[in-house]
Amino acid sequence: MTGEIPFPPRRDVYVLQQWVDDFIEAGNTAGADIVVAEQDGDRRSDTGLVIVRLRRADGVIYMQPRGFDDPLWQMTLEVHETELSAPPYEMGALGAELIVASNLCTYLQYRSLEWDRLSGRHED
């Protein structure tokens, strides 16, 4: 090494977009509106953020790694309405959206673990 600080592999917007595309191509989305957005970041932080826009409620689910070089992911549900009233089939559809988001987040966590392992950053 030439005195450089060793940075772990970054899960930037381009890497995350490929992972999301793979998830979508596998037919796992049930029509969910999934977006990979860029965040402000520097060499020390991940710069991708995955967003699922809810169709059955006024809200979104953000998902991202818990921290830099952390393969574990977390989800944040942001809902703008204080109350949601809907027929049972609409509530079921909202539940399906939450399941898709959860499955996607689990998939991204798996890909992060695989990414770190293949990069040689973490031991098997």
Side-chain angles (χ1 to χ4, degrees):
M1 263 200 175
T2 61
E4 293 180 29
I5 299 171
F7 292 108
R10 297 179 64 219
R11 294 160 289 213
D12 62 20
V13 67
Y14 306 106
V15 169
L16 293 179
Q17 185 63 62
Q18 181 59 56
W19 295 353
V20 167
D21 290 346
D22 292 345
F23 184 82
I24 291 170
E25 287 173 19
N28 297 314
T29 63
D33 184 9
I34 303 169
V35 176
V36 179
E38 205 166 328
Q39 295 187 82
D40 292 335
D42 57 27
R43 288 191 62 195
R44 296 179 189 266
S45 62
D46 293 318
T47 55
L49 176 71
V50 179
I51 302 167
V52 175
R53 294 184 186 130
L54 298 175
R55 295 175 187 219
R56 306 288 186 207
D58 184 19
V60 295
I61 298 173
Y62 301 101
M63 50 192 80
Q64 60 190 344
R66 291 189 318 187
F68 186 56
D69 195 30
D70 188 339
L72 301 179
W73 282 62
Q74 67 185 15
M75 300 170 60
T76 303
L77 173 60
E78 181 180 297
V79 181
H80 303 289
E81 297 177 5
T82 57
E83 190 174 299
L84 176 63
S85 203
Y89 65 89
E90 289 282 331
M91 287 294 184
L94 176 59
E97 287 183 294
L98 296 174
I99 289 170
V100 167
S102 178
N103 289 342
L104 174 58
C105 193
T106 300
Y107 176 78
L108 294 171
Q109 180 170 298
Y110 166 78
R111 292 294 298 259
S112 288
L113 289 165
E114 179 183 51
W115 176 262
D116 286 355
R117 183 180 57 77
L118 293 175
S119 74
R121 177 70 181 167
H122 295 283
E123 301 285 329
D124 282 339

